[in-house]
């Protein structure tokens, strides 16, 4: 007999609108004794079937919806969803072999991220249901995509929220060295040393945009990581690019990637805290284009106030280092900092820096990071380009 979850009165409305999370305080009763990661049938207050999802009694997200109907063949459903997700990426990136292939809830595979690096597949698993069915996922990647290497590189914070063991696994092959191409720029990926899954695919499309601004310009790339924005500036013919990151390993990687592509711009590679660097040079050096792509300052709602202060200070310092009629390229990957707050931060920063700015371009994440309009949680990246007009 199938395990069933029954929702409280009116708690089905958000789910029926397309949201994929049932929270623990929305559940009226449980029929059966499902284990964490088991499939359960979800019913509303009137005993009408809503769909099927993964159950987790230890998480605030008690059910992650997989389907709005009953599931006859779970493996077949997963196979179809993963193939469909990959087909979507190939629509926009037909020549690329590396991209985010599965983006969790946005691809109707809640709690599963798959980044594809040629024939290497890096997983992030953040739901008990996905972890429980990992062998099925691995089998699909082997059979449908000729995977040579499959392993996980999880963020412990999200595993903790789900009550999952904080661990990574190699499911096939090993940690290779991969050289990937984002369309025009090559990157060497060392998975044992790199951050996150190995590369930040979410900014790929935005890196192409900045090429329009950087030809012949003096460019600063802060929080450069493996060099993405700065490398595209060099590709466009920037006069010089200064790469800054607090991680010596990332600076070394950015330098190797610059050499890999044989770009000719003048370069400087600096290992230093970005805040300290910007404060140090604010009265000494100005750039035509200043690009800042910091890590998330707000991991949860409680940290929003502190995050706003951090983003405001960072953008103020960046503006102090930007020439008149130059460009500020700024991002935030904090989901909890919404679009309105993001623009408010920039406005406050420009006022304190006594600079006038025009918003020229605004975007989110790249095409391989689709969003569900029914789930604000699937939208997180803010990318903005401002002309500093004074």
């Amino acid at each position: 007999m199938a395990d069933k979850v029954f929702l409280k009165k009116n708690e089905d409305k958000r789910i029926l609108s397309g949201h994929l999370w049932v929270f623990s305080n929305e559940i009226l009763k449980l029929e059966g004794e499902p284990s964490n990661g088991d499939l359960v049938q979800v019913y509303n207050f009137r005993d009408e079937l809503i769909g099927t999802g993964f159950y987790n009694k230890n998480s605030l997200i008690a059910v992650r919806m997989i389907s709005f109907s009953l599931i006859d063949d779970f493996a077949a459903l997963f196979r179809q969803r993963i193939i469909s997700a990959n087909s979507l990426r190939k629509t926009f990136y037909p020549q690329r072999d590396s991209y985010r292939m599965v983006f969790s809830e946005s691809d109707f595979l809640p709690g599963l991220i798959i980044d594809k690096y040629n024939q290497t597949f890096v997983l992030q698993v953040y739901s008990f249901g996905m972890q429980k069915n990992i062998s099925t996922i691995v089998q699909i990647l082997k059979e449908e995509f000729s995977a040579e290497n499959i392993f996980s590189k999880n963020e412990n914070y999200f595993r903790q929220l789900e009550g999952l063991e904080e661990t990574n696994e190699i499911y096939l092959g090993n940690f290779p060295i991969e050289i990937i191409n984002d369309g025009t720029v090559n990157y060497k990926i060392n998975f044992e040393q790199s951050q996150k899954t190995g590369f930040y695919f979410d900014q790929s499309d935005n890196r192409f945009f900045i090429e329009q601004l950087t030809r012949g310009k003096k460019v600063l790339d802060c929080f450069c990581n493996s060099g993405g924005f700065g490398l595209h500036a060099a590709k466009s013919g920037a006069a010089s690019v200064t790469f800054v990151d607090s991680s010596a390993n990332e600076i070394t990687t950015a330098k190797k990637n610059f050499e890999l592509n044989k770009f000719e711009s003048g370069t400087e590679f600096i290992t230093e805290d970005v805040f300290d660097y910007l404060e140090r040079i604010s009265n000494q050096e100005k750039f035509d284009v200043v690009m800042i792509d910091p890590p998330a300052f707000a991991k949860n709602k409680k940290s929003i106030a502190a995050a706003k202060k951090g983003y405001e200070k960072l953008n103020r310092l960046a503006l102090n280092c930007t020439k008149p009629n130059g460009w500020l390229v700024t991002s935030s990957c904090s989901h909890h900092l919404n679009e309105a707050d993001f623009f408010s931060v920039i406005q406050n920063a420009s006022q304190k820096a006594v600079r006038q700015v025009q918003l020229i371009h605004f975007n989110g994440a790249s095409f391989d990071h689709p969003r569900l309009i029914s789930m604000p949680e699937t939208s997180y990246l803010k990318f903005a380009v401002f002309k500093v007009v004074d």
Side-chain angles (χ1 to χ4, degrees):
M1 184 176 177
D3 296 314
K4 298 179 181 179
V5 167
F6 293 85
L7 303 184
K8 296 176 182 177
K9 189 175 183 179
N10 296 324
E11 297 292 1
D12 59 337
K13 292 182 179 179
R14 181 173 46 80
I15 307 303
L16 292 173
S17 74
H19 202 283
L20 301 182
W21 293 349
V22 175
F23 295 103
S24 56
N25 62 356
E26 297 171 336
I27 294 176
L28 175 66
K29 63 180 180 178
L30 183 66
E31 191 175 284
E33 297 181 356
S35 299
N36 289 342
D38 283 354
L39 286 174
V40 294
Q41 296 174 7
V42 181
Y43 291 79
N44 65 15
F45 187 73
R46 297 179 296 279
D47 293 352
E48 298 167 335
L49 178 71
I50 295 177
T52 309
F54 288 134
Y55 179 71
N56 186 353
K57 64 182 178 181
N58 297 330
S59 173
L60 177 64
I61 305 171
V63 181
R64 294 176 186 259
M65 300 298 293
I66 294 291
S67 173
F68 290 98
S69 61
L70 298 179
I71 297 176
D72 295 324
D73 189 332
F74 180 76
L77 177 67
F78 261 42
R79 188 178 300 269
Q80 179 270 322
R81 294 246 172 110
I82 293 174
I83 291 172
S84 176
N86 185 67
S87 295
L88 174 64
R89 277 66 179 177
K90 297 304 286 187
T91 299
F92 296 103
Y93 307 130
Q95 305 303 319
R96 280 173 53 182
D97 293 315
S98 303
Y99 39 77
R100 174 148 292 182
M101 193 173 87
V102 169
F103 186 37
S104 199
E105 277 76 1
S106 292
D107 286 301
F108 309 103
L109 290 163
L112 175 66
I113 289 171
I114 304 176
D115 281 352
K116 182 180 185 296
Y117 298 85
N118 303 320
Q119 298 313 115
T120 292
F121 296 80
V122 185
L123 314 183
Q124 291 183 319
V125 184
Y126 299 130
S127 79
F128 242 104
M130 290 298 173
Q131 189 66 61
K132 202 164 192 173
N133 291 279
I134 198 70
S135 60
T136 298
I137 296 164
V138 169
Q139 192 67 23
I140 292 167
L141 295 177
K142 289 165 61 177
E143 293 176 357
E144 299 292 341
F145 300 97
S146 303
E148 296 174 1
N149 305 286
I150 306 173
F151 50 87
S152 59
K153 289 195 69 176
N154 297 305
E155 289 188 66
N156 287 339
Y157 175 79
F158 297 108
R159 299 274 290 186
Q160 290 170 359
L161 293 178
E162 188 72 359
L164 288 165
E165 185 180 357
E166 297 169 31
T167 185
N168 289 308
E169 300 285 344
I170 297 177
Y171 301 105
L172 177 69
N174 53 30
F175 291 120
I177 301 293
E178 293 280 2
I179 294 179
I180 68 168
N181 185 279
D182 70 358
T184 58
V185 173
N186 294 317
Y187 304 83
K188 188 175 184 178
I189 311 295
N190 184 331
F191 294 102
E192 291 186 320
Q193 298 178 355
S194 58
Q195 299 178 9
K196 301 288 180 138
T197 69
F199 187 72
Y200 291 89
F201 288 114
D202 55 0
Q203 290 276 30
S204 292
D205 299 343
N206 296 327
R207 294 183 188 116
F208 282 92
F209 182 87
I210 64 99
E211 291 182 21
Q212 301 173 77
L213 317 175
T214 51
R215 183 173 181 80
K217 303 298 185 181
K218 183 179 180 181
V219 178
L220 174 62
D221 181 6
C222 293
F223 304 98
C224 68
N225 194 251
S226 57
F229 278 106
L231 293 174
H232 275 270
K235 173 183 169 289
S236 76
S240 67
V241 183
T242 300
F243 297 83
V244 183
D245 201 287
S246 62
S247 167
N249 180 64
E250 293 303 321
I251 287 294
T252 298
T253 300
K255 187 175 183 179
K256 288 180 178 178
N257 285 334
F258 184 89
E259 294 168 350
L260 176 67
N261 287 276
K262 300 180 179 178
F263 292 138
E264 298 180 352
S265 300
T267 57
E268 189 174 6
F269 296 89
I270 298 173
T271 304
E272 188 174 351
D273 176 85
V274 169
F275 285 91
D276 293 343
Y277 172 79
L278 292 176
E279 287 194 7
R280 180 168 62 82
I281 69 160
S282 61
N283 296 318
Q284 308 169 27
E285 193 169 3
K286 303 292 183 182
F287 293 86
D288 299 300
V289 183
V290 175
M291 305 182 291
I292 50 176
D293 184 19
F297 289 172
K299 282 281 190 182
N300 50 52
K301 291 182 179 179
K302 293 180 181 179
S303 57
I304 292 177
K308 286 180 181 178
K309 291 180 181 179
Y311 283 120
E312 182 182 303
K313 180 180 179 180
L314 178 62
N315 282 276
R316 174 176 58 80
L317 291 171
L319 283 166
N320 286 340
C321 300
T322 307
K323 291 180 180 179
N325 293 311
W327 299 90
L328 172 67
V329 179
T330 181
S331 300
S332 167
C333 60
S334 296
H335 157 68
H336 294 286
L337 183 79
N338 62 36
E339 187 176 319
D341 287 339
F342 175 70
F343 284 129
S344 177
V345 161
I346 306 300
Q347 179 62 28
N348 291 340
S350 65
Q351 287 180 330
K352 290 183 178 180
V354 195
R355 309 300 297 272
Q356 286 283 89
V357 297
Q358 287 176 301
L359 177 64
I360 304 301
H361 178 64
F362 181 75
N363 198 23
S366 299
F367 293 130
D368 52 359
H369 288 65
R371 295 176 286 178
L372 298 184
I373 58 174
S374 58
M375 284 194 74
E377 295 86 352
T378 63
S379 178
Y380 68 98
L381 183 66
K382 279 79 61 181
F383 171 82
V385 177
F386 291 92
K387 182 71 181 296
V388 183
V389 297
D390 56 16

